[in-house]
């Protein structure tokens, strides 16, 4: 990615709803150049999509938690099937395969602590591959919405 690609990506992260003409004006380039560069960024997979950010409380998801989970047997098939099954659950926001004592970090958002407990007991602990899990409740969070390209090391 060159400087213009980076500027386009940064500007679209800031506001993906702006028109091509507005984007070109912010960047100081011709609309046709802007349109072609955005098209190429999408074709290369740099831009994967455009999303609306929704308030979790509006979806009745006021309690979030991270659940560190250990599974066995630890094989590619078990990892893949566990990850696929979890991401389909409505409470699950994200699933990460991680290194360390645990194998997965699962981000969930639910109505309240009772629903978190029910998720842990009724859904997660009943899976035969789960050996153990620990939950951490999120009190507050901050998210960085605009990511910049890091320099090469």
């Amino acid at each position: 990615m060159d400087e213009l690609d980076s500027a386009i990506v940064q500007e679209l992260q800031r506001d993906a709803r702006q028109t091509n003409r507005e984007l070109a004006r912010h960047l100081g380039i011709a609309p046709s150049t802007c349109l072609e560069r955005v098209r190429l960024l999408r074709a290369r997979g740099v831009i994967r999509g455009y999303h609306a950010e929704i308030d979790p409380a509006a979806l009745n998801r006021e309690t979030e938690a991270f659940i560190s989970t250990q599974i066995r047997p630890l094989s590619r098939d078990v990892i893949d099937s566990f990850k696929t099954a979890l991401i389909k659950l409505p409470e699950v926001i994200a699933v990460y395969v991680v290194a360390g004592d645990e194998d997965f970090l699962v981000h969930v958002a639910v109505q309240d602590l009772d629903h978190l407990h029910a998720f842990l007991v009724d859904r997660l602990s009943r899976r035969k591959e789960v050996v153990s899990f620990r939950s951490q409740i999120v009190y507050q969070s901050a998210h960085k919405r605009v990511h910049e390209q890091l320099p090469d090391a």
Side-chain angles (χ1 to χ4, degrees), residues 13 142-148:
Q13 287 179 99
H143 301 273
K144 186 180 234 181
R145 297 292 178 216
V146 177
H147 302 276
E148 299 175 31

Side-chain angles (χ1 to χ4, degrees), residues 2-141:
D2 62 16
E3 283 184 36
L4 180 55
D5 287 342
S6 293
I8 289 170
V9 167
Q10 191 167 6
E11 188 64 28
L12 286 174
Q13 287 179 99
R14 189 187 62 72
D15 181 7
R17 292 188 53 145
Q18 61 188 305
T19 66
N20 182 67
R21 191 172 302 279
E22 291 170 326
L23 179 59
R25 188 174 54 23
H26 286 136
L27 298 169
I29 61 175
S32 59
T33 301
C34 187
L35 188 63
E36 180 62 14
R37 294 298 282 264
V38 170
R39 187 191 69 72
L40 289 171
L41 287 167
R42 291 187 68 183
R44 290 185 2 229
V46 174
I47 297 173
R48 295 192 260 178
Y50 303 90
H51 311 280
E53 184 178 342
I54 309 298
D55 178 8
L59 301 176
N60 200 19
R61 293 171 169 260
E62 300 202 24
T63 301
E64 292 184 53
F66 286 97
I67 306 164
S68 302
T69 309
Q70 189 177 52
I71 63 168
R72 292 293 178 268
L74 198 55
S75 69
R76 188 172 303 277
D77 288 341
V78 174
I79 290 169
D80 290 343
S81 65
F82 185 72
K83 182 175 59 173
T84 300
L86 255 58
I87 202 66
K88 290 179 182 177
L89 298 175
E91 300 90 348
V92 176
I93 294 174
V95 178
Y96 304 95
V97 180
V98 297
D101 291 337
E102 281 83 21
D103 305 309
F104 286 87
L105 186 61
V106 183
H107 184 191
V108 298
V110 295
Q111 298 91 319
D112 52 33
L113 290 177
D114 288 338
H115 284 87
L116 176 60
H117 184 253
F119 175 82
L120 295 171
V121 172
D122 298 333
R123 293 205 187 226
L124 192 62
S125 69
R126 289 191 178 175
R127 296 202 52 96
K128 66 181 184 307
E129 65 269 66
V130 172
V131 174
S132 67
F133 60 85
R134 291 183 305 123
S135 60
Q136 296 176 311
I137 296 169
V138 175
Y139 291 126
Q140 296 178 350
S141 65

